[in-house]
Amino acid sequence: MNATVSPTPDFSVVVPVFDEGEAAPKLAREIAAAFAGESYEMIFVDDASRDDTKARLIALKAEIPQLRVLGHRQNSGQSRAVRSGVLAARGPIVITLDGDGQNDPADAPRLAKALAAGPQTLALVGGERVKRQDSNAKRFASKFGNGVRKRLLKDTANDTGCGLKAFRREAFLRLPHQKAYRLGGRFGSDDVTIGEFKYLPTPCKFVAFMPQWDFLDFLQRQAARYPAFDLRMQTKAIGLLRSQNAT
């Protein structure tokens, strides 16, 4: 199972995890088996788990020398965990997998090599979930969201929510990632404020760039934690993030 350990590997596998103490070690071993013989590293980013996820992964480093373990001081969401892993990655090609084991690590090297063999203008190769282990409601929401996105952007990607992706690190780092303090939108001639995040009673007074489902999960968590937080949503409205520079 041992593979080449290099300070500049060809591939960096990034896995965000939260409360995955049972699944994470098994997933790490499956990744090691899938990339055996390759120049790679794997980076697990623990998003302030409440269980022993981080401790179990650290204990596994003696068995898997390619394993690196990072940790957030507070729970920041999957998108932030992925970004932390990409920032720490040393390989030019990054592969991401979900930490719950729904993505088969055996597929990861094929995606990575397909990207490496492609032109430099090819920035990402994405997986597609075939046998999902989610609830019917979550699968419907994902299908609906992908359908709306495809109509708006006129793209042909069937499943942008799949955690299994291979992309060029430098392309990812060029994506906008900034603090947004206000969610608003223009409706006719009116500029309407949908949310002012600086008023949220949380340590984080802003929302960073994130996929739409992570954002909805964030709003749902606030509604559950704070009874005074009034969550109202209208699927027909399309809002824009109004951002400002902050340190």
Side-chain angles (χ1 to χ4, degrees):
M1 186 174 289
N2 287 336
T4 305
V5 180
S6 170
T8 54
D10 294 335
F11 306 119
S12 294
V13 184
V14 172
V15 185
V17 286
F18 176 69
D19 288 354
E20 299 288 355
E22 294 293 330
K26 179 177 181 290
L27 179 58
R29 291 187 177 99
E30 291 175 348
I31 293 171
F35 281 88
E38 303 290 345
S39 172
Y40 81 101
E41 65 177 354
M42 71 173 87
I43 304 172
F44 275 71
V45 183
D46 178 65
D47 193 25
S49 292
R50 299 162 296 185
D51 64 2
D52 60 350
T53 298
K54 187 176 180 180
R56 287 194 178 202
L57 287 169
I58 291 175
L60 202 61
K61 292 177 67 175
E63 177 184 335
I64 305 176
Q66 296 83 8
L67 174 61
R68 299 169 60 194
V69 183
L70 308 180
H72 287 167
R73 290 189 178 91
Q74 64 183 36
N75 184 261
S76 303
Q78 186 183 49
S79 296
R80 179 67 250 190
V82 168
R83 183 169 172 81
S84 294
V86 175
L87 288 172
R90 297 178 294 206
I93 290 180
V94 176
I95 305 95
T96 59
L97 296 95
D98 285 338
D100 58 6
Q102 289 206 42
N103 304 136
D104 186 355
D107 295 328
R110 287 185 290 170
L111 261 68
K113 291 177 180 179
L115 178 61
Q120 280 296 121
T121 52
L122 178 62
L124 181 146
V125 176
E128 182 176 346
R129 291 166 290 188
V130 178
K131 297 179 180 179
R132 295 187 59 176
Q133 301 174 27
D134 291 321
S135 65
N136 290 334
K138 194 166 185 177
R139 279 182 288 182
F140 172 79
S142 179
K143 185 176 181 179
F144 175 79
N146 277 306
V148 171
R149 189 208 70 256
K150 290 176 73 172
R151 286 194 296 272
L152 290 175
L153 301 181
K154 296 180 174 59
D155 69 23
T156 57
N158 292 323
D159 188 11
T160 58
C162 179
L164 178 59
K165 294 180 175 70
F167 51 84
R168 301 189 191 279
R169 180 177 181 270
E170 52 87 18
F172 179 92
L173 295 179
R174 291 203 306 268
L175 293 173
H177 188 98
Q178 52 191 328
K179 297 176 180 179
Y181 294 85
R182 174 178 175 267
L183 177 64
R186 182 165 289 278
F187 302 95
S189 60
D190 298 325
D191 189 18
V192 179
T193 296
I194 299 173
E196 288 279 0
F197 301 113
K198 63 184 179 182
Y199 297 120
L200 289 178
T202 66
C204 180
K205 304 301 182 185
F206 59 88
V207 176
F209 173 83
M210 61 178 69
Q212 68 271 32
W213 299 120
D214 281 4
F215 177 65
L216 296 181
D217 287 344
F218 168 82
L219 290 179
Q220 185 180 43
R221 287 198 302 271
Q222 304 312 311
R225 291 174 61 189
Y226 303 102
F229 185 85
D230 188 13
L231 177 60
R232 298 179 183 179
M233 301 183 64
Q234 183 180 352
T235 57
K236 189 177 179 180
I238 299 176
L240 301 174
L241 283 176
R242 304 296 188 186
S243 63
Q244 65 186 63
N245 293 328
T247 56

